[in-house]
Amino acid sequence: MKNELQYDSPGKFQETRFEKIHNLSYYSATEASKLVAKEIAHLIKTSTDQKFILGLATGSSPIDVYKELVWLHQNEGLSFKNVISFNLDEYFLISPKEVQSYHHFMHIHLFDHIDIPKDQINIPRGNLSSEEIREYCKSYEHKIASLGGLDYQLLGIGRTAHIGFNEPGSHRNSVTRLVSLDQVTLSDAAKDFNGIDRVPKKAITMGIATIMNAKRIVILAWGSHKASVVARTIEGSITEVAPATFLQEHPNVTFVLDKEASFDLTRINTPWLVMDCDWTEELTKKAIIWLSKKVNKSILKLTQRDYTENGLSGLINNHVSVYDLNIWMFNQIQKTITGWPGGKPNFSDDNRPERASPSSKRSLIFSPHPVDDLISMGGTIYRLVEQGHQVYIAYQTSGSKGVSDDHALRYIEVYLQIDSNQLHLKELKDEILNKKEGVPDSTSLRSLKASIRRSESLESARLLNLSSENIHFLNLPFYETATSKKNNSTKEDQKIISKLIKEIQPHQIFAAGDLADPHSTQRICWDILSASIKELKSESFLSACWIWLFRGGFNNWDLQNIDMAVPMSPSQINHKTSLIYLHHSQLDQLLFSEDGDIGFWSRTANLNRLIAKEFNFLGMSEYEGIEVFRRFYF
Ligand code: F6R
């Protein structure tokens, strides 16, 4: 039977000539995951051996593959009785009962729902004593080898290009062992552990050699945050600094991607370098910005020679002159810049991103968590309010998962000092102080944590001169689970969003539109909102509503995708930072950067400054900072 995930060797065609790992990219992670699950199911069913040795990964990448395998088991009788599984890794030190352990992950996502015999499941133990580690790792390795090696290994990839927990510096010959985690990996795991300080600093992982010995390897990557590491792994040279590049030497590996994760491959990112292009407006803009950076010149200084020497003859052939093309590009970017995000009343809007009328708009901002609104568009909200628009903010989730126990305890203790007889609070205090491993927060504790975040949001709204009536806490049900795992979104979530949109009938909607991790709260919130917009499409007020997407606290939109850029002065940046700082419950979540540990509030200001510099570099005016938006057409 033809394996649907395999065809053509990498680098076979002109456009794939830089690629050294076979890869397939799909419209969505869900669609791709189904095919991966189908391949695994097929191999299990057709295994001629008595047993099928299956290597498994954790993390958000394989979740949909496991969902599909469970579905195939429950609906099509796929049996796992002949499967012996080996997981890649486990944190160290961690007990298997802890909700963040990979033991827990594997059981809730897969093992609890299929018929694999318990004694055929192998996951590295994360709670060994230091004397046991060496022997244990040796025996894990030996067990895999004695069964004839892995028939199939499923992998994800970390932003450090780790596979398993083989961080940069891992040797090609490495085997199962105890390793230290990279700072980037620790910061990626911080959200699951409620702060970077609580993430275990070590892990037990299969080695590169263990993985490379598998007969078939499938590696998954979803979302724009993986795009650069994917390109580096597929197109870069083999190096210990990016351990996933060792996969280039494996004879039977496929990288399975969604559209966003494939964005940085040469044939997608800079297609003019490998093929003849259809010069759409977006591609033209992208190429000119790329050229400008490459030759280190602002747009209006680019010459015919710059274009031809850098593979862009095809682009200038479509235009009367390089001069005209440069002017067109300059104007395209310049007209995205506006200090009037709700439109400038009584001025022509021919060259402005938003319409002038109505002069007072209803602007509805959807913020996935409390504080996302300020991080992504605090300066813009300030301008909208100041310029007389009716601004509404809808917090899609309660954000309770982002409040640490210690922080909640601080509030409880304050109230208990005022009135020590409050039984309910005493119970909450006991719950926190006596928390057992793996026991999730009670509903009351979650509700206290949600109230903390609500009060922070109300405080920042007050300082923005927004009435509390304009602030909506939607508490979408998909988020309201006792553990860090979220539910699938349902019609109930969509109903809540649609009801609010119908009530407010906005002229503008601002929302988080980052297509990074498909399992992130931001992405789920956007999927729900876009489904509501689709559902309400025929309502007349919606046809007059423009939708603006901000990207989130980690990245700016690429310059060619920006449709509105709202500049900020130094004092506006300071004001925004001080509003973010009011969200005290979030201040213990330090995030790692190249310069050391910085808080997300200063990272946000840095992002605003960075994009302002990029605008300035292309030849636009010099601003202290800029917030950027992309228009969504529906
Ligand atoms: C997990 C593992 C890691 C992850 C990688 C990507 O068992 O070994 O290598 O695959 O960190 O994580 P996600 O999928 O969460 O982006």
Side-chain angles (χ1 to χ4, degrees), residues 206-251:
M206 283 186 197
I208 302 281
T210 332
I211 295 169
M212 291 292 281
N213 285 337
K215 298 179 186 78
R216 162 93 174 129
I217 297 177
V218 168
I219 174 163
L220 316 171
W222 323 128
S224 53
H225 63 309
K226 294 286 174 76
S228 70
V229 75
V230 164
R232 184 170 179 217
T233 303
I234 294 178
E235 299 187 356
S237 359
I238 298 177
T239 162
E240 282 180 9
V241 178
T245 55
F246 288 122
L247 295 174
Q248 291 177 14
E249 290 178 340
H250 194 279

Side-chain angles (χ1 to χ4, degrees), residues 241-510:
V241 178
T245 55
F246 288 122
L247 295 174
Q248 291 177 14
E249 290 178 340
H250 194 279
N252 188 9
V253 56
T254 298
F255 222 131
V256 180
L257 311 168
D258 67 357
K259 213 166 56 242
E260 289 80 25
S262 66
F263 270 168
D264 283 356
L265 292 174
T266 304
R267 74 186 138 91
I268 295 165
N269 192 27
T270 48
W272 50 88
L273 296 179
V274 287
M275 60 178 126
D276 222 27
C277 293
D278 175 14
W279 288 105
T280 59
E281 199 173 299
E282 187 178 339
L283 196 62
T284 305
K285 286 189 196 168
K286 191 174 184 184
I288 301 176
I289 291 166
W290 170 85
L291 180 64
S292 204
K293 287 185 184 161
K294 176 122 200 282
V295 300
N296 200 18
K297 286 182 182 175
S298 62
I299 295 167
L300 295 177
K301 286 187 183 164
L302 294 172
T303 62
Q304 172 133 8
R305 203 168 173 165
D306 293 326
Y307 280 88
T308 50
E309 282 181 355
N310 289 287
L312 288 171
S313 308
L315 171 58
I316 50 175
N317 288 345
N318 279 358
H319 293 267
V320 183
S321 72
V322 160
Y323 177 77
D324 285 341
L325 181 59
N326 289 349
I327 297 266
W328 171 83
M329 181 66 199
F330 181 88
N331 288 336
Q332 289 293 310
I333 298 193
Q334 193 170 44
K335 70 182 188 196
T336 64
I337 303 173
T338 181
W340 297 84
K344 188 166 185 178
N346 309 321
F347 273 77
S348 152
D349 50 21
D350 290 351
N351 282 320
R352 293 178 183 279
E354 244 304 352
R355 299 147 297 169
S357 88
S359 54
S360 167
K361 294 190 172 61
R362 285 185 296 278
S363 309
L364 172 56
I365 297 159
F366 281 103
S367 177
H369 305 95
V371 96
D372 287 343
D373 53 335
L374 294 175
I375 291 177
S376 310
M377 54 176 296
T380 305
I381 300 178
Y382 182 76
R383 282 187 190 257
L384 286 168
V385 176
E386 213 190 9
Q387 291 164 3
H389 301 287
Q390 296 169 54
V391 177
Y392 301 84
I393 304 181
Y395 294 106
Q396 286 158 289
T397 68
S398 69
S400 59
K401 296 183 207 291
V403 181
S404 70
D405 287 347
D406 294 335
H407 197 82
L409 192 55
R410 191 184 306 166
Y411 277 81
I412 295 171
E413 283 182 329
V414 169
Y415 292 121
L416 283 176
Q417 281 174 39
I418 298 167
D419 177 3
S420 58
N421 293 324
Q422 294 203 40
L423 194 63
H424 174 61
L425 290 176
K426 275 191 182 151
E427 279 167 12
L428 284 180
K429 181 172 175 175
D430 284 349
E431 176 180 344
I432 294 177
L433 293 178
N434 302 313
K435 219 173 194 182
K436 294 249 165 30
E437 275 173 11
V439 177
D441 286 358
S442 65
T443 317
S444 318
L445 184 53
R446 277 194 285 135
S447 136
L448 172 78
K449 290 180 172 181
S451 313
I452 293 174
R453 300 215 63 180
R454 259 200 309 276
S455 65
E456 291 168 344
S457 297
L458 288 170
E459 188 181 359
S460 46
R462 227 175 6 252
L463 292 176
L464 278 164
N465 288 329
L466 279 171
S467 143
S468 60
E469 279 161 24
N470 287 22
I471 311 298
H472 297 263
F473 296 99
L474 302 181
N475 297 326
L476 292 184
F478 83 87
Y479 180 91
E480 295 306 319
T481 60
T483 65
S484 62
K485 185 173 183 267
K486 287 153 240 160
N487 287 326
N488 291 332
S489 64
T490 64
K491 283 273 168 223
E492 195 46 44
D493 298 293
Q494 198 179 318
K495 230 161 92 187
I496 296 173
I497 299 284
S498 300
K499 182 166 171 277
L500 185 72
I501 299 179
K502 276 208 222 150
E503 232 167 74
I504 294 179
Q505 305 209 349
H507 301 101
Q508 297 184 299
I509 287 178
F510 290 87

Side-chain angles (χ1 to χ4, degrees), residues 56-62 87-90 102 155-159 162-166 185 188 191-192 205 220 222 225-226 517:
L56 297 171
T58 54
S60 70
S61 308
N87 261 81
L88 280 166
D89 42 23
E90 176 60 284
Y102 286 170
L155 296 176
I157 185 167
R159 288 193 301 138
H162 71 212
I163 45 176
F165 273 135
N166 294 285
T185 304
D188 282 350
K191 61 180 185 325
D192 298 328
T205 181
L220 316 171
W222 323 128
H225 63 309
K226 294 286 174 76
D517 182 350

Side-chain angles (χ1 to χ4, degrees), residues 86-139:
F86 285 88
N87 261 81
L88 280 166
D89 42 23
E90 176 60 284
Y91 288 111
F92 184 88
L93 276 163
I94 201 165
S95 132
K97 285 190 194 143
E98 280 188 56
V99 286
Q100 295 93 347
S101 75
Y102 286 170
H103 277 78
H104 181 80
F105 176 99
M106 287 310 298
H107 281 91
I108 59 167
H109 287 286
L110 185 65
F111 297 145
D112 287 353
H113 316 286
I114 59 175
D115 61 347
I116 185 167
K118 294 271 170 285
D119 60 353
Q120 288 172 205
I121 296 173
N122 299 278
I123 307 176
R125 267 181 58 200
N127 56 352
L128 300 158
S129 68
S130 42
E131 300 79 55
E132 287 173 307
I133 298 170
R134 233 179 110 79
E135 270 318 300
Y136 178 81
C137 292
K138 251 163 102 181
S139 69

Side-chain angles (χ1 to χ4, degrees), residues 552-585:
F554 286 93
N555 287 303
N556 288 310
W557 293 120
D558 290 337
L559 279 155
Q560 71 274 5
N561 295 325
I562 294 171
D563 296 305
M564 177 155 69
V566 183
M568 301 168 84
S569 67
S571 68
Q572 283 166 336
I573 292 215
N574 288 344
H575 182 235
K576 166 174 172 170
T577 308
S578 65
L579 291 176
I580 294 173
Y581 208 79
L582 295 174
H583 290 250
H584 285 205
S585 67

